[in-house]
């Protein structure tokens, strides 16, 4: 009984598992089509519903589930076998019911199936086989594509499983791929869903995208996806200076540059006015070995060239010139040249008959390391100079190399001056002097630089030397052991290293062009780091200017900067920084120095502050104060300066006492005192008093007008003013009466003509200072009797 019950339970479970799909999983109902609908109708409805319910466009919470049902329903009905199986059995495929099965899993009544997420466009299982062979992975891109992009450009498509627009560009992409691949362009496809890391590395953030890679640099395609646009995009990726246009006017200049560039030159003759893309791609692939030129047969300026080389006008012709520019070293002519034929033609003519060793890369290719006995390569190397005296020998060596027919022997020459280290080893020359030209035969044994060699003969190009070299080469074929010397060869200098600056300029130009192109085409996501850097720099620059402008005004409000006061006190002068402050008022505030203001304006003056005191009389007060205000107005912006005047009619005793204490100042005035018989006129004098340091600077009036002999009497206006006045007294005693008379007739308003210059020197701290043991007492400032 228990056995029968168990069998019933198992049978019920199995029967439950094969129940046909319920009405909620009916693909006809989900798509809204009848069971007799054609494939065209089903496809049309599917596209409309897929766009309507796509999760990226429909924000309904159930949009994602509905989109999955629509996709699964279309997958069933688009396949005749699956549709027939569903119509007959209500199953999704031949072996599994729609809703459960062997590979399905049921979690909380929600069914997950691996095939449930397969879509008919660009999915992993349905991806076009033509795209699959071009699929790129991150390591493959870094290790293969980037190095190869220095020989040919790459065209890469960015796609994904959920990309509807990718379907529309697919026909154009396939056609372009087929054509570009035949021309030698590399092709790649990146699926964002499986290679997110590579997509981010390339800067591709949307699908579909098409980009080009050349010289390791990525450039995005921004135009409508059309065949001609993509071909032009590939052509624009190539450098602009690959192929030179050659006519009857510049053909000799082009062909004669073989010696300077150390390369063979290739000329293509064709009827089309523009350089064919295949030829440009070939020029890019072999740019390190060959120099390329193009001759347009349709131009009248190329008629002489066509006639000179007997060019067939009905088929493209390619000529290779080496050392002999009058006769091509090789020629190929055919309609519709294929890339394979051109590559073979170029590979066979990559080097001159006797090229100059200019870098290590060329040395490695001309004289490869020995690998097997049958693949030995011997190098016949001429060590010579680049002066005119070696020209004949070099030409004869080239003539000898042109007769060589042995594939195992390569000829080359090297300038001893430019490759001194290599030449010293091969010639066994230990001195620094340049040796005579020599021919050396060598064979490289390993990549580390080990080589065996033998100096054959000195070389001047004579017939005996040629015969001797020929005999040594024949001996070498029979017995390689004649290379008796071995050495570690140093790495060659790169003689074209100076061209780096030009290459850097070209690279900068290409980078600026790329940035401009990105800006013009609104590729903002890729440009965001650069734009962020530019705006940050501009913000910092203008922010600094604004802050500095406001800080200048705020500093003026600080009347007691302690740190500055300490510094000013140390120096004893206001400092040059005060000069830069503009006046805050449109007038000059001048106070009178009296017994009331004496203590505050002089004796107890704050450290670093100075009082500029004008000495005047009652008669000259108005005139001198007006002139004084004009001269010192530009200095009133300084917080360290105060301005006063002293009436000498009231306080003449104080002035005399001040000069008695200052012995240097009294020495200055001795020539005008005349032994005390004449009373001094201090009108127009200006004192700069530093109360804290107890010193003063003295300005004396400028004598102009009638007194032409006197140019300046300001003590501090000349070098060592005190000594100057003393010397004037000694050398010109006869001028004393004239000077006294000139003082009496001097116009008052001219006395302060040089005060502005004196103030500038005061602010610079370059004026002489007269130190006081103590300021005169108050009794000396009281009104005179």
């Amino acid at each position: 009984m228990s056995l029968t019950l168990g069998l019933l339970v198992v049978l019920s479970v199995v029967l439950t598992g094969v129940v046909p799909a319920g009405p909620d999983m009916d693909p006809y109902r989900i798509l809204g089509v009848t069971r007799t609908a054609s494939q065209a109708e089903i496809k049309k409805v599917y596209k409309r519903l897929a766009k309507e319910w796509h999760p990226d466009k429909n924000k309904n919470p159930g949009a994602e589930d509905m989109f999955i049902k629509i996709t699964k329903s279309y997958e069933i009905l688009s396949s005749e076998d699956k549709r027939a199986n569903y119509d007959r059995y209500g199953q999704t495929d031949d072996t599994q019911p729609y809703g459960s099965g062997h590979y399905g899993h049921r979690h909380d009544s929600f069914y997950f199936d691996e095939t449930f997420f397969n879509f008919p466009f660009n999915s992993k299982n349905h991806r076009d086989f033509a795209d699959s062979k071009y699929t790129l992975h991150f390591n493959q891109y870094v290790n293969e594509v980037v190095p190869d992009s220095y020989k040919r450009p790459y065209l890469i498509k960015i796609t994904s499983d959920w990309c509807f627009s990718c379907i529309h560009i697919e026909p154009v992409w396939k056609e372009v791929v087929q054509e570009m691949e035949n021309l030698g362009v590399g092709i790649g496809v990146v699926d964002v869903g499986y290679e997110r890391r590579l997509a981010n590395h390339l800067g591709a953030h949307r699908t579909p995208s098409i980009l080009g890679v050349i010289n390791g640099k990525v450039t995005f395609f921004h135009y409508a996806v059309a065949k001609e646009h993509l071909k032009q995009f590939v052509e624009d990726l190539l450098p602009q200076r690959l192929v030179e246009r050659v006519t009857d006017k510049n053909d000799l200049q082009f062909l004669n540059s073989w010696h300077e560039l150390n390369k063979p030159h290739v000329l293509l003759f064709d009827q089309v006015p523009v350089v064919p893309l295949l030829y440009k791609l070939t020029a890019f692939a072999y740019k390190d070995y060959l120099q390329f030129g193009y001759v347009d047969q349709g131009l009248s300026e190329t008629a002489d060239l066509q006639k000179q080389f007997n060019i067939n006008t009905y088929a493209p012709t390619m000529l290779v010139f080496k050392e002999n520019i009058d006769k091509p070293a090789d020629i190929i002519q055919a309609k519709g040249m294929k890339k394979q034929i051109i590559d073979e033609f170029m590979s066979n003519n990559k080097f001159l008959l006797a090229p100059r060793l200019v870098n290590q890369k060329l040395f490695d290719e001309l004289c490869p390391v020995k690998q097997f006995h049958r693949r030995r390569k011997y190098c016949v190397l001429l060590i010579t100079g680049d002066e005119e005296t070696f020209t004949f020998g070099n030409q004869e060596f080239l003539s000898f190399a042109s007769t060589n027919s042995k594939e195992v022997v390569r000829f080359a020459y090297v300038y001893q001056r430019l490759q001194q280290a290599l030449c010293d080893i091969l010639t066994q020359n230990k001195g620094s002097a340049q040796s005579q030209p020599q021919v050396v035969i060598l064979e490289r044994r390993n990549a580390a630089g080990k080589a065996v060699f033998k100096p054959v003969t000195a070389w001047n190009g004579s017939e005996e030397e040629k015969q001797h070299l020929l005999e040594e080469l024949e001996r070498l074929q029979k017995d390689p052991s004649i290379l008796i010397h071995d050495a570690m060869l140093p790495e060659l200098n790169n003689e074209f290293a100076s061209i780096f600056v030009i290459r850097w300029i070209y690279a900068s130009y290409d980078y600026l062009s790329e940035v401009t192109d990105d800006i013009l085409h609104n590729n903002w996501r890729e440009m965001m780091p650069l734009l962020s850097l530019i705006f940050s720099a501009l913000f910092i620059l203008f922010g600094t200017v604004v802050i500095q402008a406001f800080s200048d005004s705020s500093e003026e409000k600080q009347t007691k900067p302690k740190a500055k006061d300490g510094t000013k006190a140390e120096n004893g002068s206001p400092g040059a920084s005060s000069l830069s402050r503009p006046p805050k008022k449109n007038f000059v505030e001048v106070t009178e120095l009296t017994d009331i203001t004496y203590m505050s304006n002089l004796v107890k003056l704050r450290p670093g502050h100075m009082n500029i005191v004008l000495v005047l009389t009652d008669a000259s007060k108005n005139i001198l104060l007006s002139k004084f205000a004009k001269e010192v107005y530009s200095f009133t912006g300084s917080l360290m300066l105060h301005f006063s005047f002293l009436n000498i009619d009231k306080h003449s005793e104080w002035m005399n006492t001040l000069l008695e204490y200052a012995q240097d100042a009294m020495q200055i005035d001795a020539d005008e005192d005349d032994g005390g018989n004449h009373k001094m006129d201090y009108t127009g004098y200006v004192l700069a008093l530093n109360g804290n340091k107890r010193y003063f600077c003295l300005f004396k009036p400028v004598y102009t007008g009638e007194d032409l002999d006197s140019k300046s009497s300001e003590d501090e206006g000349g070098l060592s003013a005190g000594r100057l006045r003393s010397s004037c007294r000694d050398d010109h005693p006869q001028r004393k009466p004239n000077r006294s008379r000139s003082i009496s007739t001097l116009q008052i308003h001219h006395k302060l003509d040089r005060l502005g210059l004196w103030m500038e020197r005061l602010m610079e701290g370059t004026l002489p200072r007269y130190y006081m043991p103590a300021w005169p007492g108050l009794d000396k400032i009281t009104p005179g009797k």
Side-chain angles (χ1 to χ4, degrees):
M1 183 66 180
S2 59
L3 181 59
T4 303
L5 182 60
L7 290 173
L8 290 174
V9 171
V10 172
L11 183 60
S12 63
V13 172
V14 174
L15 291 175
T16 304
V18 296
V19 172
D24 291 341
M25 303 304 295
D26 184 1
Y28 292 104
R29 188 184 62 82
I30 293 173
L31 294 181
V33 296
T34 63
R35 289 182 175 270
T36 59
S38 64
Q39 287 293 333
E41 294 174 346
I42 294 174
K43 185 176 182 180
K44 182 178 180 180
V45 172
Y46 162 71
K47 286 185 177 181
R48 176 177 58 80
L49 292 176
K51 291 181 180 179
E52 179 183 353
W53 290 95
H54 195 282
D56 292 342
K57 297 183 178 180
N58 194 323
K59 302 305 180 182
N60 192 310
E64 184 175 358
D65 294 338
M66 187 61 184
F67 181 78
I68 294 175
K69 291 180 181 180
I70 292 171
T71 307
K72 183 61 178 178
S73 299
Y74 178 73
E75 182 181 353
I76 296 171
L77 299 184
S78 62
S79 172
E80 295 295 340
D81 294 338
K82 291 184 178 182
R83 182 177 181 181
N85 186 54
Y86 179 79
D87 291 342
R88 183 175 301 178
Y89 305 109
Q91 297 177 353
T92 60
D93 50 41
D94 296 335
T95 60
Q96 180 176 306
Y98 186 69
S100 64
H102 178 70
Y103 299 101
H105 305 276
R106 189 178 297 273
H107 298 282
D108 298 331
S109 301
F110 190 85
Y111 175 75
F112 292 89
D113 182 29
E114 292 181 0
T115 63
F116 195 68
F117 294 93
N118 289 340
F119 306 110
F121 47 87
N122 289 339
S123 65
K124 186 176 181 180
N125 294 332
H126 295 83
R127 187 181 296 122
D128 193 341
F129 177 75
D131 276 357
S132 63
K133 71 175 183 178
Y134 302 117
T135 302
L136 294 178
H137 306 287
F138 182 82
N139 292 334
Q140 180 186 3
Y141 172 81
V142 173
N143 298 325
E144 299 177 14
V145 174
V146 172
D148 196 38
S149 69
Y150 289 86
K151 298 179 180 178
R152 60 171 179 165
Y154 271 78
L155 196 62
I156 299 177
K157 179 182 70 171
I158 311 297
T159 184
S160 68
D161 290 348
W162 298 78
C163 177
F164 291 98
S165 301
C166 299
I167 302 174
H168 301 294
I169 70 171
E170 200 65 29
V172 179
W173 171 257
K174 289 181 179 179
E175 186 178 0
V176 172
V177 165
Q178 184 178 1
E179 182 176 350
M180 292 293 104
E181 192 174 23
N182 292 334
L183 296 179
V185 178
I187 305 297
V189 176
V190 177
D191 193 316
V192 177
Y194 302 97
E195 283 294 334
R196 173 64 64 181
R197 180 186 179 189
L198 177 55
N200 292 335
H201 178 76
L202 294 172
H205 304 286
R206 55 188 175 186
T207 56
S209 294
I210 296 177
L211 55 89
V213 180
I214 189 169
N215 291 332
K217 184 183 68 174
V218 178
T219 304
F220 280 84
F221 175 75
H222 300 290
Y223 303 95
V225 181
K227 180 179 177 181
E228 295 302 322
H229 291 170
L230 287 171
K231 289 177 61 177
Q232 187 63 43
F233 173 67
V234 173
E235 191 166 351
D236 292 340
L237 290 175
L238 299 171
Q240 300 299 316
R241 296 161 293 275
L242 281 174
V243 181
E244 181 179 350
R245 288 189 172 271
V246 179
T247 64
D248 297 335
K249 298 180 180 179
N250 65 342
D251 60 323
L252 292 178
Q253 179 183 358
F254 174 77
L255 296 176
N256 277 322
S257 61
W258 69 266
H259 187 269
E260 178 184 356
L261 300 177
N262 200 39
K263 296 178 182 179
H265 284 53
V266 183
L267 275 181
L268 173 65
F269 292 79
D270 204 348
Q271 293 279 1
V272 294
V274 296
V275 182
L277 179 58
L278 175 60
Y279 192 57
K280 287 186 176 181
L281 292 169
T282 303
F284 180 73
Y286 294 92
K287 61 183 181 299
D288 294 334
Y289 304 98
L290 299 159
Q291 195 72 14
F292 291 83
Y294 180 73
V295 180
D296 182 4
Q297 293 177 281
L299 298 176
S300 59
E301 293 86 352
T302 62
D304 293 343
L305 270 176
Q306 299 178 52
K307 183 178 180 180
Q308 178 182 355
F309 298 111
N310 194 21
I311 301 300
N312 185 355
T313 58
Y314 298 101
T317 305
M318 198 173 293
L319 308 179
V320 173
F321 295 86
K322 295 188 178 180
E323 286 87 348
N324 186 0
I325 65 172
D326 297 323
K327 182 180 179 181
D330 204 352
I331 182 172
I332 181 175
Q333 186 177 56
K335 287 186 177 181
M337 288 188 185
K338 301 297 181 182
K339 180 181 182 301
Q340 293 76 8
I341 299 176
I342 296 179
D343 285 344
E344 183 179 359
F345 180 74
M346 298 299 171
S347 299
N348 294 334
N349 295 282
K350 288 169 57 176
F351 305 109
L352 297 169
L353 296 176
R356 184 172 91 251
L357 296 183
V358 294
N359 52 48
Q360 187 65 34
K361 178 183 177 183
L362 181 60
F363 189 29
D364 293 340
E365 295 195 47
L366 280 175
C367 306
V369 175
K370 170 190 174 183
Q371 296 179 351
F372 305 102
H373 179 74
R374 295 183 178 180
R375 299 183 62 181
R376 280 184 165 178
K377 294 288 184 182
Y378 299 103
C379 271
V380 181
L381 188 62
L382 171 65
I383 300 174
T384 182
D386 55 351
E387 293 84 0
E388 292 186 2
T389 55
F390 301 103
T391 302
F392 178 78
N394 297 344
Q395 291 292 339
E396 292 300 315
F397 181 78
L398 173 60
S399 176
F400 182 87
S402 62
T403 62
N404 173 58
S405 59
K406 301 181 178 64
E407 294 184 359
V408 296
V409 178
R410 296 279 181 84
F411 289 82
Y413 69 97
V414 61
Y415 286 150
Q416 184 174 357
R417 179 177 60 85
L418 301 177
Q419 305 291 347
Q420 189 69 45
L422 174 68
C423 297
D424 288 346
I425 293 176
L426 295 180
T427 59
Q428 298 178 334
N429 180 21
K430 298 182 180 179
S432 59
Q434 181 172 333
S435 61
Q436 293 297 319
Q438 293 189 40
V439 174
V440 178
I441 301 176
L442 66 89
E443 179 188 15
R444 299 180 64 195
R445 291 298 175 89
N446 59 37
K450 183 178 181 181
V452 293
F453 66 95
K454 178 184 179 181
V456 177
T457 178
W459 186 266
N460 291 312
S462 65
E463 293 298 327
E464 293 79 6
E465 293 167 346
K466 292 182 181 179
Q467 184 63 32
H468 181 55
L469 176 58
L470 184 60
E471 292 174 356
E472 288 294 324
L473 290 176
E474 291 177 352
R475 286 182 58 196
L476 181 65
Q477 296 290 326
K478 301 175 182 179
D479 183 14
S481 62
I482 66 172
L483 305 179
I484 56 176
H485 302 284
D486 60 359
M488 295 295 294
L489 302 181
E491 185 173 351
L492 268 66
N493 300 325
N494 186 2
E495 297 179 13
F496 291 156
S498 58
I499 303 179
F500 170 78
V501 177
I502 300 177
R503 292 180 179 176
W504 182 84
I505 295 175
Y506 287 155
S508 301
Y509 172 78
D510 293 338
Y511 177 75
L512 291 176
S513 300
E514 179 186 358
V515 171
T516 305
D517 184 65
D518 287 338
I519 294 176
L520 291 177
H521 293 92
N522 298 325
N523 196 3
W524 299 114
R525 186 185 294 268
E526 289 80 9
M527 290 296 300
M528 192 58 66
L530 180 61
L531 293 176
S532 177
L533 178 62
I534 293 175
F535 282 113
S536 298
L538 292 176
F539 177 79
I540 294 173
L541 177 63
F542 287 106
T544 304
V545 173
V546 173
I547 293 174
Q548 185 176 4
F550 281 100
S551 63
D552 289 343
S553 60
S554 63
E555 286 177 2
E556 294 180 359
K557 298 179 181 179
Q558 300 176 1
T559 57
K560 284 187 174 183
K562 295 183 179 180
K564 289 188 176 181
D565 283 351
T567 306
K568 307 291 183 169
E570 293 275 336
N571 298 333
S573 64
S577 62
S578 300
L579 283 169
S580 60
R581 296 176 179 174
K584 296 185 293 182
K585 302 177 182 179
N586 57 359
F587 62 91
V588 181
E589 184 177 354
V590 184
T591 59
E592 185 177 1
L593 192 63
T594 64
D595 55 342
I596 300 176
T597 60
Y598 180 74
M599 294 298 294
S600 61
N601 286 0
L602 178 58
V603 179
K604 295 185 178 181
L605 204 61
R606 285 179 296 179
H609 289 238
M610 299 189 75
N611 194 354
I612 312 301
V613 180
L614 170 66
V615 181
L616 48 76
T617 61
D618 290 332
S620 62
K621 179 176 181 180
N622 294 333
I623 298 176
L624 287 181
L625 281 179
S626 177
K627 181 68 174 179
F628 180 75
K630 292 179 181 180
E631 293 292 329
V632 302
Y633 175 75
S634 60
F635 301 90
T636 57
S638 172
L639 302 177
M640 306 298 177
L641 297 180
H642 308 274
F643 301 93
S644 304
F645 68 88
L646 177 70
N647 194 328
I648 198 65
D649 292 337
K650 301 178 182 179
H651 310 293
S652 59
E653 192 66 21
W654 181 86
M655 188 70 177
N656 292 330
T657 306
L658 181 71
L659 296 181
E660 287 175 2
Y661 277 103
Q663 297 300 323
D664 292 339
M666 289 301 296
Q667 182 68 22
I668 294 173
D669 292 330
D671 60 336
E672 297 192 9
D673 196 355
D674 195 19
N677 298 327
H678 178 71
K679 185 178 180 181
M680 285 298 301
D681 180 15
Y682 297 117
T683 305
Y685 279 42
V686 178
L687 303 171
L689 306 175
N690 190 315
N692 182 61
K693 289 292 185 178
R694 292 196 299 277
Y695 73 82
F696 69 93
C697 299
L698 178 64
F699 169 83
K700 299 180 70 177
V702 177
Y703 292 97
T704 59
E706 299 87 354
D707 190 0
L708 301 177
D709 293 334
S710 178
K711 296 182 180 179
S712 174
S713 59
E714 55 180 301
D715 275 14
E716 293 74 18
L719 297 174
S720 186
R723 292 190 297 272
L724 177 62
R725 300 300 301 167
S726 300
S727 62
C728 291
R729 178 191 58 188
D730 296 338
D731 297 340
H732 305 284
Q734 71 278 7
R735 294 185 180 180
K736 293 179 183 178
N738 294 335
R739 185 176 299 275
S740 300
R741 287 192 297 270
S742 66
I743 294 175
S744 62
T745 59
L746 181 65
Q747 295 184 9
I748 297 177
H749 66 272
H750 284 312
K751 291 191 173 186
L752 302 180
D753 283 348
R754 297 290 183 88
L755 181 60
L757 298 176
W758 182 82
M759 288 292 297
E760 290 181 4
R761 296 191 59 193
L762 173 67
M763 303 304 288
E764 294 170 358
T766 58
L767 293 176
R769 300 172 182 177
Y770 306 108
Y771 286 85
M772 300 284 297
W775 293 114
L778 290 177
D779 57 325
K780 299 299 180 181
I781 201 68
T782 55
K785 297 180 181 178

